[in-house]
Amino acid sequence: MQTPFKLGFRGRLIAAMVGLVVLVSLSIGALFMAYLFEEERTRAIAQLDIAERLTREVVQRRTALELSRLSVLVQDFGFRSAVASGDNATIRSALENHSRRIGAEFALVLGQSRQVLASTLDSPAPEIPDAMFRAAAIQGHERQLLTLNQAGYELLLVPVQAPGLRAWMAAGFLLDQEMADVIARLSGTDVLFQARGGESGEPQVFASTTTLPEERPQMLAGPVNQSEVLDNPQFFSRTLPLASNHSDLEAVLLISREESLHRYFQRVIEITFLVLAIVLLATALALFLARSLGKPVRQLADYARAVGNEPPPVAPDIRTGGEIAQLSQAFTDMVSRLKEREEHIRHAATHDDVTGLGNRNALIQSSRQLFQERHPCCVIGIRLEELSEINDTLGLELGDKVLIGTANRLRDYLNKATLLARTGGDEFLAILPAMSPAALKHQAEALSGHLQAPLPVDNTPFSLRITLVTMSLPDDATDPNQFRRRLNLTFEKASDSGTAVTRYQPGEDENHLRELRLISDLHTAITEGGLTMNYQPKLDFRTGKLVQVEALVRWIHPDLGFISPEEFIFLAERSGQIHDLTGHILKLVAQDARAWQAQGLDIGVAINLSAMDLAWPGLTDHITRNFTDWPGGMSRITFEVTESAVMDDPDKALATLNQIRDLGATLSVDDFGTGYSSLSQLRNMPVQELKIDKSFVLNLASEPQDQLIVRSTIDMAHGLGLKVVAEGIETMEAWALLQAWTCDLGQGFGLSRPVPLRDLLGTARALAQLEPELAATHTETSYD
Ligand code: C2E
Ligand code: CA
Ligand code: CA
């Protein structure tokens, strides 16, 4: 995903290229400018060198010219005569004449003792130092520069010989504009003459070939050095002294930078334009490159993103060569490999790798679709009952061959199936077009026969036991989960029943769900006190007295109401909760029995044990813990055990029964007559009581056959030393018959229904009222 803050590939390419170009252009431009500037400076220095030499030359030559004129003058006869006359007025007149001729601005004649004899100046004559006289005396002339009346002068001093020294002549020549112009013209630089060190500290300019800017003083006050050049924004300049002695008169040579700066800026602008042009060009080039590079990359990215979409994307047509082409090729290869792999995965995901039929996923997909479209169809489930035995004994390889053989038979036989799948280790499933229940049954039975015919594997014929189940959709299930659950349920039923073809029966699933719920809720009922006990009186036939009650467990489910103990005890056995349940019942009964004893009701109690309790090692412990010190005494606790419970695992059951017997409790065989045990078998068991099942008693008065059975059972039991209890006594007739046949104890709705503890005392009182009526003396006469 692209964030707006990140430069894309193109952006970065352009930025990098343009940045690089700008950097290079600017560096070259800067270098070029520096070079131009340096060049300019070098040229200026060279020109200043020339100008300097020229200035010296011009000054020297003028001095030489002036000197030669002066020497002509001092040898002039007329002039010498005038000096020799000693008359100041004469000398002055001659001086004025001659000095104008030789071009001097002013002239002086001094006497031998150096006093001024004549002067062309109106102002006082300048002071001439002694050193100058001495030098002039030795060399024949001397030169000095000086400032006078705000003008610069070259002062020349020569002796006047006549022969022998008669006087001195001094002449001042102006350092004037004319001379500056000459130098400027010859050297191509501007020139100015100035005197430094005036009272104001500012140089004083006498002549100049250029107009100077305002800040001239600072500019021209730089150090005096021949080779030095002074830079400032307007000029390159050099200052040189005009004389080697103390004079502070100097010439300043100036080269205006205006023009060169102008040229310089011209170049700057040119270079800027050039750089801009290059940058534009670079940007355009970068854009083009980025487009031509970026386009295929983008195309590939779009392509990669679309891989896996429906319909599959078409590979982009990329014309670029090089790495991009390689990348594109790699992409195409990758996508085709991905497709292959996906194909493979898709196949593996929906197919069984042993038989090549569909697998569980395939079934899930098809059934989802079937239920969505509410498409009617039929299902046949096939289970190989002995596959795990074959795998265990003959090996997985052979097991696989059996599976493959079976799959092939299914393919052949069910060629109209819309789906054939192996949906479990030993389970296949076929979805067939809708047909009538009769046709489905017929087809399933035929298939069963076909599949059970010996299957040749490795030249050995295998006879397989196969269970088939059938369902019709959507009648038998309306969603995939329901379908799967009901199918499994039917498989379970089929395995139990052992029939070849089993059809799902409507309602089975609902029962199943109810059972699941009860199993899970039973646990809560046990742990959270949801169970209570009812007690049904047992009366002595001789006295009509209440001697014992049978404890019967009750569960009122919060949503489902009364749950029959037969139903939930069966579920407790199946879900492994039976020991918890029995333990809990023992505790409840022990509590209740102590309570009624405390109320003065001295009766025994009978407790039902489940078949599975006889295989429970903890049973006797529980009995001991709950009933030792019970006021009624151990012998008055009876445990009712069905005969089938004993027959399931006689050894273990017998061991447990003996242990219970050892505790001193009484043992009773419940529901006698419904199982297969005979009285002779009972002989070997430590039981003291036999309870004739209510099915023989309920209609006793009207069923002569029941009468026969009951009567002989009582006789034989007595013969074996067993007491006999009859349950299910609903009528006085039944009571009277049993009494006549010397049955020992009687129980039934006709006497009392099972009651909760709180009603037990009341029930006992009501029964006591009936005692005289029920006692043996009363009835003996009627039925004998
Ligand atoms: P059972 O041990 O044969 O219990 C006697 C059943 O017969 C009781 O049904 C009782 O209410 C019923 N009955 C008694 N007299 C008559 C009568 O005159 N007419 C009719 N039609 N029925 C009568 P209940 O309470 O529904 O119990 C059914 C079975 O559930 C019991 O059969 C017993 O096998 C089991 N059971 C009940 N309570 C317990 C228990 O606490 N522990 C165990 N392990 N099983 C129990
Ligand atoms: Ca019973
Ligand atoms: Ca019974």
Side-chain angles (χ1 to χ4, degrees), residues 448-475:
S448 170
H450 186 63
L451 291 176
Q452 301 202 53
L455 176 73
V457 176
D458 291 347
N459 298 323
T460 311
F462 271 84
S463 285
L464 302 165
R465 191 158 68 82
I466 287 175
T467 305
L468 263 75
V469 301
T470 60
M471 284 175 84
S472 296
L473 302 181
D475 294 350

Side-chain angles (χ1 to χ4, degrees), residues 550 640 670-671 691-694 727:
E550 180 180 3
E640 297 185 6
D670 204 354
D671 299 346
K691 207 170 171 184
I692 298 172
D693 188 68
K694 58 179 174 285
E727 62 177 1

Side-chain angles (χ1 to χ4, degrees), residues 271-349:
I271 287 174
T272 310
F273 273 113
L274 195 69
V275 167
L276 274 178
I278 293 173
V279 166
L280 277 177
L281 203 71
T283 312
L285 191 69
L287 268 173
F288 171 75
L289 267 180
R291 262 185 75 82
S292 60
L293 265 181
K295 193 180 165 201
V297 170
R298 240 189 3 264
Q299 280 176 317
L300 285 176
D302 290 346
Y303 180 50
R305 219 170 287 130
V307 168
N309 285 2
E310 284 299 331
V314 183
D317 176 21
I318 287 168
R319 307 238 167 101
T320 328
E323 288 86 345
I324 295 285
Q326 284 177 16
L327 184 64
S328 167
Q329 190 53 48
F331 254 100
T332 319
D333 291 353
M334 181 187 82
V335 167
S336 66
R337 274 203 300 277
L338 272 181
K339 268 185 201 151
E340 264 170 39
R341 197 164 301 177
E342 195 186 299
E343 210 55 51
H344 184 75
I345 290 171
R346 205 196 300 256
H347 187 269

Side-chain angles (χ1 to χ4, degrees), residues 2 36 66 68 151 160 185 256 323 333 341 354 374 412 456 478 501 540 566 572 605 649 675 747 766:
Q2 266 186 334
L36 263 185
E66 283 159 356
S68 72
V160 184
R185 209 169 50 241
S256 167
E323 288 86 345
D333 291 353
R341 197 164 301 177
V354 178
R374 311 193 133 273
D412 289 348
T478 50
V501 177
D540 188 313
E566 273 159 324
V605 65
D649 185 352
Q747 176 186 359

